[in-house]
């Protein structure tokens, strides 16, 4: 019996025993935020929400099998995945995650990277810190030694955002994927954000990608990255929110990497909650679900800052609200 | 209610329960195998022989060559076994022959057994924080690419993890060598070393082999500690200091988010291969144990 199935059974069991009013499962990336939000929500509204971080794939699978009320995913559901559910699905963006390029260079200098540099460093084309292409972008910075590429060894939404970005800036060499594969000869995979952060911190000359929260908690230096408007952007929660403030599809199934926003940080993505559009079979529960979703995109956004997630810009929250309102509750 | 039953019936019920449990274990094993086989059928069909010979594992391009993983698994496990053997054998002799009673002996024995009980994630954590920087320093001194993580780190942490398995079983077997044989050897004027070399080790040979195989099985399947320090690069390591990956580590890393049916199936196929290798080692072990045992 695989883990997903076991967790599925567990969630059903917990639900059946009445431990939770609403059940969700999926992406682990926004889990700290959801835990906080749902705890506060229970205090304020008395509705208990149980969310299991089992990975985006598992969340979509359980939504398809209809064992949960909503799923969580870091990559929007593909048309094929939606078709597999046999019904209409609504996507509700809940927060924005930023992926930073953290590095370990003796002396902790600031580092600026252009999209071309990012693509070339991560596929091993540039493998020395002394490469003139790095010096050209960072005048006055004298670096040396090998470049070690540190990546996630486990499949993850973080990798998916990062490879989404790479595939936008260098489509010939990169493809979006949940697992990272590189031609670099000096690549090391770490398990989880903490594994990647640990390896970068230990290895002089290492560069890798990790969620902004982990980089901040570990006091790691991360690169300033040039966005599509040519502006060098320091990763921050503000520049992450700014990245999402662009024209996106009404169903919010959109990638915001390599954003057109002038002050937006280019490596970030939404995390979504997904639910069935037709919940009319159980009006009481449908009402609870839509109330929760509405709260998340409004009052719940207050908790994004303390937990290092980007807040939804007004334009996106408006679209999210329209999607929630499209849910059939009776 | 049981009181009214005859002795014979009680005996029968007892036997039925025993037979049922035994059958259950066999059934579980068989069903495991069947599940792995069924779930990997589509991968076996589509990957063909490339699964064993292919050196590229890249779900993006649909290349599922598991040779680097097979190689990594065998390399780290066998290396760990070779490194663990002298330590395991020495401590087994020490505990089984020299210090069989007393405070020191029981303290030592508990330590060895405790070593076996530490969760592997703790080993992995320790290796990442202590062993890896140490290896990196050595690599820098030697002028090799200072990954720190890699095959050597994985093999070393496995070594420490499997020592207790090989040692405690071997110690028990050494203790079981009949006292009169020892005394007979001593009475012929044999020194302690000669007694160990010519009497005890040959007598305990099969049990020691069993301990070693148990340890090898543990090394083959170890996941968490290995994945934390091996570097997780799906390639054939060029040297002991290079990064690599193992089958168990790959499955743990990639299964959670694998959605493409062929991808999942290929991961199950890796599991099947691991299952078969473990079974093969076990069967070889039985054969070896039989061949080496003194009685036959």
């Amino acid at each position: 019996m695989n883990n997903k199935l076991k967790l599925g059974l567990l969630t059903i069991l917990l639900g059946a025993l009445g431990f939770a009013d609403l059940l969700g499962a999926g992406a682990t990336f926004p889990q700290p935020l959801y835990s906080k939000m749902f705890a506060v929500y229970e205090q304020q509204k008395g509705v208990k929400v149980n969310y299991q971080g089992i990975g985006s794939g598992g969340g979509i699978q359980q939504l398809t099998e209809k064992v949960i009320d909503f799923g969580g995913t870091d990559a929007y559901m593909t048309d094929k995945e939606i078709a597999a559910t046999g019904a209409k699905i609504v996507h509700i963006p809940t927060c924005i995650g930023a992926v930073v390029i953290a590095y370990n260079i003796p002396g902790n200098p600031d580092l600026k990277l252009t999209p071309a540099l990012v693509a070339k460093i991560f596929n091993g084309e540039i493998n020395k810190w002394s490469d003139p292409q790095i010096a050209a972008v960072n005048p006055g910075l004298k670096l040396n030694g090998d470049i070690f590429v540190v990546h996630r060894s486990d499949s993850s939404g973080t990798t998916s955002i990062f490879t989404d970005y790479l595939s936008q800036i260098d489509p010939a060499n990169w493809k979006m994927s949940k697992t990272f594969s590189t031609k670099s000869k000096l690549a090391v995979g770490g398990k989880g954000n903490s594994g990647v952060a640990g390896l970068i911190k230990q290895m002089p000359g290492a560069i890798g990608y990790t969620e902004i929260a982990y980089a901040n908690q570990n006091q790691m230096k991360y690169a300033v990255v040039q966005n599509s408007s040519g502006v060098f952007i320091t990763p921050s929660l503000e520049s992450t929110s700014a990245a999402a403030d662009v024209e996106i599809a009404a169903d919010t199934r959109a990638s915001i990497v390599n954003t057109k926003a002038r002050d937006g940080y280019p490596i970030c993505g939404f995390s979504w909650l997904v639910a069935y559009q037709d919940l009319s079979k159980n009006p009481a529960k449908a009402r609870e679900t839509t109330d929760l979703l509405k709260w998340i995109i409004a009052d719940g956004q207050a908790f994004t800052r303390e937990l290092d997630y980007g807040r939804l810009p007004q334009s996106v929250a408006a679209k999210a609200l329209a999607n929630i309102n499209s849910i059939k509750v009776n | 209610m049981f009181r009214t039953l005859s002795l014979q019936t009680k005996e029968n019920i007892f036997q039925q329960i025993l037979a049922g449990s035994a059958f259950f274990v066999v059934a579980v094993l068989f069903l495991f195998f069947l599940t792995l086989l069924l779930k990997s059928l589509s991968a076996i069909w589509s990957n063909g022989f490339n699964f064993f010979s292919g050196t590229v594992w890249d779900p993006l391009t649909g290349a599922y060559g598991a040779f680097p993983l097979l190689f990594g698994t065998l390399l780290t496990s066998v290396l760990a076994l070779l490194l663990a053997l002298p330590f395991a054998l020495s401590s087994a002799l020490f505990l089984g022959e020299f210090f069989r009673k007393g405070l020191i002996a029981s303290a030592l024995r508990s330590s060895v057994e405790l070593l076996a009980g530490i969760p592997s994630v703790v080993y992995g954590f320790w290796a990442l924080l202590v062993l890896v920087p140490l290896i990196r320093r050595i690599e820098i001194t030697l002028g090799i690419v200072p990954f720190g993580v890699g095959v050597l780190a994985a093999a070393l942490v496995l070594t420490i993890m499997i020592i207790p398995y090989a040692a405690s079983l071997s110690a028990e077997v050494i203790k079981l060598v009949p006292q009169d044989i020892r005394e007979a050897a001593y009475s012929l004027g044999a020194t302690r070393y000669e007694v160990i070399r010519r009497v005890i080790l040959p007598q305990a040979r099969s049990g020691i082999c069993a301990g070693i195989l148990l340890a090898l099985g543990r090394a083959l399947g170890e996941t968490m500690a290995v994945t934390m320090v091996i570097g997780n690069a799906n390639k054939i390591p060029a040297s002991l200091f290079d990064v690599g990956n193992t089958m168990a580590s790959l499955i743990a890393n990639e299964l959670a988010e694998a959605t493409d049916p062929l991808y999942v199936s290929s991961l199950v196929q890796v599991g099947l291969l691991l299952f078969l290798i473990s079974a093969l080692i076990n069967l070889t072990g039985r054969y070896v144990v039989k061949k080496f045992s003194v009685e036959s």
Side-chain angles (χ1 to χ4, degrees):
Chain A
M1 196 188 272
N2 68 28
N3 271 336
K4 275 180 200 162
L5 205 58
K6 258 193 247 169
L7 270 166
L9 287 176
L10 190 72
T11 28
I12 299 171
L13 196 68
L14 286 173
L17 291 173
F19 283 139
D21 301 314
L22 288 174
L23 284 176
T28 48
F29 162 68
Q31 201 180 3
L33 178 65
Y34 291 165
S35 302
K36 175 80 188 175
M37 282 179 170
F38 297 156
V40 174
Y41 192 72
E42 192 188 341
Q43 276 173 13
Q44 291 185 359
K45 317 269 171 178
V47 175
K48 199 165 191 166
V49 187
N50 182 332
Y51 182 84
Q52 314 247 340
I54 57 171
S56 301
I60 289 170
Q61 193 189 331
Q62 291 202 9
L63 186 76
T64 309
E65 288 160 9
K66 301 191 169 64
V67 295
I68 50 177
D69 297 309
F70 59 86
T73 179
D74 295 333
Y76 57 80
M77 287 172 73
T78 60
D79 291 340
K80 208 169 134 192
E81 281 167 343
I82 293 177
T85 66
K88 277 189 183 156
I89 298 288
V90 284
H91 282 70
I92 315 297
T94 56
C95 63
I96 307 154
V99 175
V100 298
I101 299 176
Y103 53 88
N104 177 347
I105 301 175
N108 271 337
D110 291 327
L111 184 69
K112 283 196 211 166
L113 294 175
T114 58
L117 277 180
V118 176
K120 283 180 184 170
I121 286 174
F122 278 89
N123 75 12
E125 223 174 292
I126 296 177
N127 55 21
K128 297 267 183 231
W129 283 109
S130 55
D131 196 288
Q133 295 175 76
I134 296 178
V137 181
N138 296 274
L141 193 59
K142 290 244 179 309
L143 302 172
N144 52 50
D146 291 318
I147 298 179
F148 294 97
V149 171
V150 182
H151 60 86
R152 286 284 288 268
S153 62
D154 49 335
S155 47
S156 75
T158 312
T159 299
S160 153
I161 290 177
F162 192 60
T163 50
D164 187 11
Y165 172 69
L166 289 169
S167 69
Q168 299 272 332
I169 57 173
D170 184 9
N173 289 310
W174 295 96
K175 252 174 136 179
M176 181 176 169
S177 164
K178 279 179 181 157
T179 50
F180 191 87
S181 56
T182 171
K183 293 187 197 87
S184 166
K185 295 253 180 321
L186 301 178
V188 182
K191 192 165 168 61
N193 272 302
S194 51
V196 169
L199 283 172
I200 296 174
K201 276 187 96 171
Q202 281 186 10
M203 291 169 86
I207 189 164
Y209 60 93
T210 179
E211 282 156 26
I212 193 166
Y214 279 86
N216 284 338
Q217 281 157 18
N218 287 289
Q219 279 116 39
M220 291 155 77
K221 286 285 276 187
Y222 40 80
V224 173
V225 183
Q226 190 183 39
N227 68 12
S228 65
S229 314
V231 187
F232 282 95
I233 302 285
T234 306
S236 70
L237 299 182
E238 288 75 26
S239 57
T240 303
S241 282
D245 203 4
V246 287
E247 197 51 47
I248 59 166
D251 65 0
T252 75
R253 292 200 296 153
S255 154
I256 50 167
V257 296
N258 205 25
T259 177
K260 288 199 178 68
R262 238 189 94 76
D263 48 357
Y265 177 67
I267 318 175
C268 48
F270 290 122
S271 195
W272 290 267
L273 289 180
V274 282
Y276 285 101
Q277 190 172 35
D278 186 356
L279 296 177
S280 55
K281 265 191 203 142
N282 187 343
K285 199 161 222 184
R287 194 70 69 186
E288 271 183 354
T289 307
T290 49
D291 282 350
L292 172 72
L293 293 173
K294 279 179 192 163
W295 184 85
I296 289 174
I297 59 163
D299 295 0
Q301 291 297 309
F303 303 102
T304 50
R305 168 156 294 277
E306 59 181 287
L307 293 165
D308 273 322
Y309 295 89
R311 192 186 175 115
L312 294 178
Q314 274 308 315
S315 58
V316 176
K319 280 188 173 128
L321 184 63
N323 287 346
I324 299 171
N325 286 332
S326 77
I327 293 178
K328 220 174 138 198
V329 291
N330 50 33
Chain B
M1 176 191 137
F2 280 112
R3 291 222 179 124
T4 58
L5 295 174
S6 73
L7 205 59
Q8 184 60 42
T9 329
K10 280 187 200 167
E11 195 73 10
N12 273 344
I13 292 174
F14 182 58
Q15 262 188 30
Q16 298 272 320
I17 293 173
L18 291 190
S21 312
F23 176 76
F24 179 72
V25 173
V26 178
V28 164
L29 183 73
F30 179 71
L31 289 175
F32 259 172
F33 175 73
L34 209 63
T35 314
L36 288 174
L37 189 67
L38 286 177
K39 294 254 177 194
S40 60
L41 268 183
S42 66
I44 294 172
W45 189 251
S46 124
N47 293 338
F49 193 70
N50 185 52
F51 181 77
F52 300 101
S53 60
T55 56
V56 179
W57 178 278
D58 188 359
L60 256 187
T61 53
Y64 298 109
F67 183 73
L69 311 162
L70 177 65
F71 185 78
T73 302
L74 293 177
L75 180 65
T76 48
S77 303
V78 171
L79 200 62
L81 194 64
L82 291 178
L83 291 171
L85 212 51
F87 293 101
L89 215 52
S90 312
S91 50
L93 277 172
F94 190 75
L95 289 172
E97 180 66 15
F98 287 79
F99 277 83
R100 302 172 71 168
K101 287 197 189 89
L103 199 65
I104 304 174
S106 61
L108 267 173
R109 193 162 299 124
S110 325
S111 315
V112 170
E113 275 156 21
L114 206 64
L115 216 51
I118 298 175
S120 57
V121 64
V122 177
Y123 279 107
F125 197 63
W126 169 81
L128 195 60
L129 292 182
V130 179
L131 194 61
V132 167
L134 207 69
I135 293 176
R136 185 171 301 120
R137 212 172 308 155
I138 296 170
E139 285 170 338
I140 291 171
T141 320
L142 293 175
I144 330 169
V145 185
F147 282 121
V149 292
V151 173
L152 184 65
L156 284 175
V157 71
L158 278 178
T159 304
I160 301 168
M161 293 177 77
I162 65 175
I163 283 175
Y165 286 82
S168 51
L169 191 64
S170 305
E172 290 308 312
V173 182
I174 288 170
K175 254 199 271 177
L176 284 179
V177 173
Q179 199 57 30
D180 30 347
I181 308 186
R182 278 178 236 249
E183 278 159 12
Y186 282 127
S187 71
L188 290 173
T191 62
R192 191 146 203 187
Y193 174 75
E194 282 168 339
V195 172
I196 291 171
R197 175 84 180 69
R198 315 240 163 194
V199 178
I200 293 173
L201 284 185
Q203 274 282 329
R205 203 161 44 184
S206 72
I208 293 173
C209 283
I212 290 170
L213 285 162
L214 187 71
L216 185 60
R218 161 100 171 142
L220 283 172
E222 177 47 42
T223 309
M224 197 59 203
V226 170
T227 205
M228 285 170 88
V229 297
I230 198 166
N232 300 301
N234 301 335
K235 60 171 188 179
I236 301 169
S239 77
L240 290 185
F241 292 101
D242 201 359
V243 289
N245 208 354
T246 69
M247 295 191 277
S249 162
L250 178 95
I251 296 173
N253 272 320
E254 301 193 356
L255 190 62
E257 294 279 340
T259 38
D260 179 61
L262 181 61
Y263 186 13
V264 177
S265 186
S266 298
L267 285 169
V268 179
Q269 197 185 356
V270 174
L272 179 67
L273 183 61
L274 193 54
F275 183 97
L276 290 177
I277 290 175
S278 304
L280 190 72
I281 283 177
N282 237 304
L283 291 177
T284 326
R286 273 162 176 266
Y287 176 75
V288 171
V289 168
K290 241 190 204 156
K291 203 147 190 211
F292 274 1
S293 63
V294 180
E295 291 83 5
S296 60

